[in-house]
Amino acid sequence: MAGGGPVDVLVIGAGMVGAACAYSCAAAGLRVTVLERGAVASGTTSAGEGNILVSDKEPGAELELALLSVRLWAGLAERLGAQRLEFEAKGGVVVARTVEAAEGLAALAAAQRDRGVEVVDVTAAELAELEPHLTREVRSGAYYRQDMQVQPVLAAAELLRRSRLLGATVHTGCEVLGLRRGRDGAVVGATTTAGGFSARFTVNAAGTWGGDVAAMAGVHVPVLPRKGFILVTEPLPRVVRHKVYSADYVANVASGDAGLETSVVVEGTRAGTVLIGASRERVGFDRQVSLPVLRRLAAQAIDLFPFLADVTLLRSYLGFRPYCPDHLPVIGADPRAPGLVHACGHEGAGIGLAAATGHLIAQTLTGAVPDLDLTPFRPDRFAEDAA
């Protein structure tokens, strides 16, 4: 294979965000080519739980992006088929176990409610009705109807399949070696192990490696890997009905600490397994398995759902979330490198925010007014010396 002819949009990365960008752009009538150095969804997407959440977003730009995305995901599930995506509008339950946590959760829920989040404060007794196997040592909680889930690899593959039906091409095993520049310095495509590709717009949807792709154009986008583990149990009857997590999870998501942080997140899947997370630490691309971290996650899960003490763990896996210092993704055209458009840096929310990201990228590239103001996500917001 020797590259490809000129297209409108060249998407670098076939994870969930790249797949969503490809689908939205193809659906908007643009000619699309996707480049992926590995297999479809073989990076961070393959190590995700498939969460589509508003519950863990504080009021601000990311919450507005999440609210748009949950609406778009619901539409995608209806249009593409919920079964094909393993889409579940299961709702989320956040649990507070101390007076301080209960007060903080109630305040967050009130602020989110003012921004359009459908959240209901629930008592300890109501928590027992929502999740009968939950520990009774809880003070209060919040129920988020809009929280959803997909199977991330299936969903990314389906979006790319639909993109192909709309005329897009997808090249896997095709590593980007550099970005091509026109006489005026604009990015006009990419050079790869499979030859050269030309495009009017090049979309950087490389996830954790988004900073590396940006550097190929001589621009600074500080996307860093943030390592996390997930535990997977044996298949069970549907014993965990919602996504359930402790109130301190929101604080850990927003933290910039490089050290290890864990806060329990437990949810069931259609396959019957229970997924347990979440840990976060910045240790580069170190893939070493840490038994102390796995033990801590297991202990926190048992503390929340005591029945898990008698359940067998089948496996664990790890991934690297694409972390930006201000915890916001990078979305939109880069004024420092005309022709380059970014869609990366979503940290642990890439699955959930993918639908909105792809939609906004397609609007940008077709000249439409985006449904959200992209200023908070602009690529040039970082200082050159950002850590």
Side-chain angles (χ1 to χ4, degrees):
M1 185 172 60
V7 294
D8 297 312
V9 183
L10 187 65
V11 179
I12 300 174
M16 181 65 84
V17 173
C21 289
Y23 174 76
S24 292
C25 288
L30 298 172
R31 296 169 299 160
V32 178
T33 292
V34 180
L35 306 179
E36 168 57 52
R37 68 180 178 182
V40 169
S42 59
T44 298
T45 295
S46 66
E49 296 168 271
N51 295 322
I52 303 168
L53 307 179
V54 297
S55 57
D56 64 343
K57 311 292 189 300
E58 297 178 344
E62 190 181 26
L63 178 59
E64 299 305 314
L65 187 64
L67 286 167
L68 173 61
S69 215
V70 295
R71 294 194 296 271
L72 292 169
W73 268 118
L76 285 170
E78 183 176 349
R79 189 159 59 252
L80 307 184
Q83 291 288 343
R84 283 189 171 273
L85 309 177
E86 286 196 9
F87 173 86
E88 292 185 88
K90 62 166 63 175
V93 173
V94 185
V95 176
R97 304 185 67 170
T98 66
V99 172
E100 294 80 6
E103 291 174 348
L105 178 58
L108 174 63
Q112 292 170 322
R113 197 176 293 117
D114 288 342
R115 302 304 303 168
V117 175
E118 298 176 25
V119 52
V120 178
D121 298 325
V122 292
T123 65
E126 290 168 329
L127 283 173
E129 294 180 7
L130 288 168
E131 290 289 344
H133 298 283
L134 184 69
T135 178
R136 296 300 182 261
E137 295 180 6
V138 293
R139 187 168 294 272
S140 64
Y143 171 65
Y144 291 82
R145 190 190 68 80
Q146 293 155 299
D147 281 0
M148 306 168 181
Q149 185 177 21
V150 293
Q151 207 296 331
V153 175
L154 286 179
E158 180 62 16
L159 286 172
L160 287 173
R161 187 182 77 84
R162 294 298 183 114
S163 300
R164 288 191 185 98
L165 293 176
L166 292 168
T169 58
V170 179
H171 300 271
T172 56
C174 178
E175 183 176 359
V176 172
L177 303 175
L179 298 181
R180 304 174 71 182
R181 311 297 287 268
R183 291 182 179 179
D184 60 356
V187 175
V188 294
T191 58
T192 77
T193 52
F197 292 83
S198 299
R200 286 198 297 141
F201 302 104
T202 299
V203 177
N204 172 16
T208 312
W209 299 272
D212 297 338
V213 172
M216 292 178 182
V219 296
H220 175 67
V221 176
V223 180
L224 303 171
R226 204 177 188 193
K227 182 178 178 180
F229 287 94
I230 301 293
L231 307 180
V232 186
T233 73
E234 62 185 313
L236 303 167
R238 197 60 181 265
V239 287
V240 181
R241 300 175 178 177
H242 308 84
K243 176 184 175 68
V244 183
Y245 61 85
S246 56
D248 58 345
Y249 175 81
V250 177
N252 279 1
V253 169
S255 170
D257 196 330
L260 174 67
E261 297 173 336
T262 62
S263 50
V264 64
V265 182
V266 182
E267 62 188 308
T269 69
R270 283 194 172 186
T273 56
V274 174
L275 305 181
I276 299 167
S279 66
R280 296 171 185 269
E281 56 184 329
R282 296 215 318 264
V283 290
F285 286 101
D286 174 20
R287 297 196 64 86
Q288 183 175 351
V289 175
S290 172
L291 289 178
V293 174
L294 302 186
R295 291 192 186 102
R296 187 190 296 191
L297 288 173
Q300 290 177 336
I302 291 168
D303 194 40
L304 195 62
F305 285 97
F307 79 90
L308 289 172
D310 299 319
V311 172
T312 300
L313 286 175
L314 290 183
R315 64 186 180 97
S316 67
Y317 58 92
L318 65 88
F320 299 99
R321 305 176 184 92
Y323 162 90
C324 281
D326 62 0
H327 301 284
L328 291 177
V330 183
I331 304 172
D334 196 320
R336 303 164 298 178
L340 180 62
V341 182
H342 298 282
C344 59
H346 295 74
E347 200 169 336
I351 307 301
L353 300 179
T357 299
H359 175 74
L360 293 167
I361 291 293
Q363 288 183 316
T364 299
L365 300 190
T366 55
V369 177
D371 287 342
L372 290 182
D373 178 10
L374 295 181
T375 301
F377 312 109
R378 67 188 188 279
D380 59 339
R381 68 185 189 267
F382 304 101
E384 288 294 326
D385 60 352

